[in-house]
Amino acid sequence: MTTAHRPTFDPAQGKEALRGPAYHQRLLPAHTHLKTRQLGQGGEGEAQQRDLRAELLQAEAAHFAKKRGIPVNEPTVESAAHKHQIEGGPSGSDSVGTEDEDPEAKRRRILEETRDIDADSDGSEDDSSEEESDDEEDEAAELMRELEKIKKERQEQKEKEERERAAEEEEKREYDIAKGNPLLNAQDFNLKRRWDDDVVFKNQARGTEDKRGKEFVNDLLRSDFHKRFMGKYVR
């Protein structure tokens, strides 16, 4: 009889060992140190030392030089114009004469400079579009040549197959003409006998191939015993 249902008046006690306060691992203090940017991670000192405007102008000059196919190390007029446009000031030669320039004249001058820049960019785009169209025409011509070559090879292959088929038919026709007349070519008209023509019993193994072993069927009406019983006593 079990005593699991009875209360425990004297519960089990552990060893008398001095233990301190126990804490779960996730209750311990964590993230007690604040992370700071290390050297090379873009701190405040590094941001103050960089010349962002110079980097931007250099990147723009390299981009437009690459777009026009000019080496990067060569100075271009467009890069200088962009530099003056970003800085918002006049060029070095006209800096003295345009200090007291009125806003209307300054606006007209800026519009003229930007018009020249747009014209240069449009010309470069037209040249690139013409080059692309020429490349597309060359590719189309190459594809047409390949297509003609493939058609020619297929035509030659087809003609070769037709010649071979015609030669085979001609050879077969000549053979039939030469061997088809039984009066000219003596043939053996004797009937061939089977090896089992004179045996007493034939077809002794018929039906043995379909015999299967005993199988268990979990159905009393389709079991082998039920079929034998019905065939013997009922049918």
Side-chain angles (χ1 to χ4, degrees):
M1 182 176 178
T2 180
T3 58
H5 62 285
R6 295 185 179 184
T8 304
F9 295 102
D10 190 9
Q13 297 179 359
K15 296 181 180 180
E16 295 180 358
L18 297 177
R19 297 181 181 179
Y23 296 98
H24 194 271
Q25 183 181 6
R26 295 185 180 179
L27 296 177
L28 296 176
H31 304 288
T32 56
H33 298 283
L34 183 63
K35 292 184 178 180
T36 57
R37 291 184 181 271
Q38 302 297 328
L39 183 62
Q41 294 183 349
E44 295 182 0
E46 296 178 0
Q48 293 176 359
Q49 294 176 2
R50 293 175 57 186
D51 190 359
L52 301 179
R53 175 177 289 183
E55 293 180 4
L56 177 61
L57 294 174
Q58 185 178 1
E60 285 188 353
H63 169 69
F64 287 107
K66 183 179 179 181
K67 186 176 180 181
R68 292 188 176 184
I70 303 174
V72 181
N73 53 3
E74 295 183 3
T76 58
V77 179
E78 184 178 359
S79 62
H82 272 279
K83 181 177 180 181
H84 296 317
Q85 184 179 0
I86 292 175
E87 292 178 354
S91 60
S93 60
D94 300 337
S95 60
V96 180
T98 57
E99 289 180 355
D100 300 334
E101 188 177 6
D102 56 343
E104 187 66 24
K106 185 176 181 180
R107 187 174 66 83
R108 287 197 299 270
R109 181 177 54 79
I110 293 174
L111 288 175
E112 291 177 358
E113 292 178 358
T114 54
R115 190 182 300 111
D116 296 338
I117 294 171
D118 294 339
D120 295 339
S121 62
D122 293 338
S124 62
E125 290 178 358
D126 295 339
D127 296 339
S128 62
S129 62
E130 291 178 359
E131 292 178 358
E132 291 178 357
S133 61
D134 295 339
D135 295 339
E136 291 178 357
E137 291 178 358
D138 296 340
E139 292 178 358
E142 185 68 22
L143 290 175
M144 292 300 295
R145 286 194 294 270
E146 291 291 335
L147 182 60
E148 292 295 335
K149 183 178 179 181
I150 293 172
K151 288 183 178 179
K152 186 177 180 181
E153 291 178 355
R154 289 183 178 178
Q155 185 67 21
E156 292 177 355
Q157 183 68 19
K158 186 176 180 181
E159 293 177 356
K160 182 179 178 181
E161 292 177 357
E162 290 179 355
R163 289 195 299 269
E164 292 178 355
R165 185 169 60 254
E168 291 178 359
E169 292 178 355
E170 184 66 22
E171 184 179 357
K172 183 178 180 181
R173 178 173 170 275
E174 292 178 357
Y175 180 81
D176 293 340
I177 292 173
K179 301 293 183 179
N181 192 351
L183 300 177
L184 299 177
N185 302 309
Q187 297 180 0
D188 187 9
F189 294 99
N190 296 328
L191 297 178
K192 294 182 179 180
R193 298 179 59 191
R194 287 175 53 87
W195 64 273
D196 58 348
D197 285 344
D198 53 352
V199 298
V200 179
F201 302 102
K202 294 183 179 180
N203 300 326
Q204 295 296 315
R206 179 177 294 177
T208 58
E209 296 85 0
D210 298 336
K211 287 186 177 180
R212 296 176 298 177
K214 293 184 179 181
E215 296 180 356
F216 174 75
V217 180
N218 193 14
D219 188 1
L220 296 178
L221 299 179
R222 293 189 297 110
S223 62
D224 296 338
F225 173 77
H226 182 73
K227 290 179 180 179
R228 290 196 304 270
F229 181 83
M230 295 295 291
K232 184 176 181 181
Y233 296 104
V234 178
R235 295 177 184 174

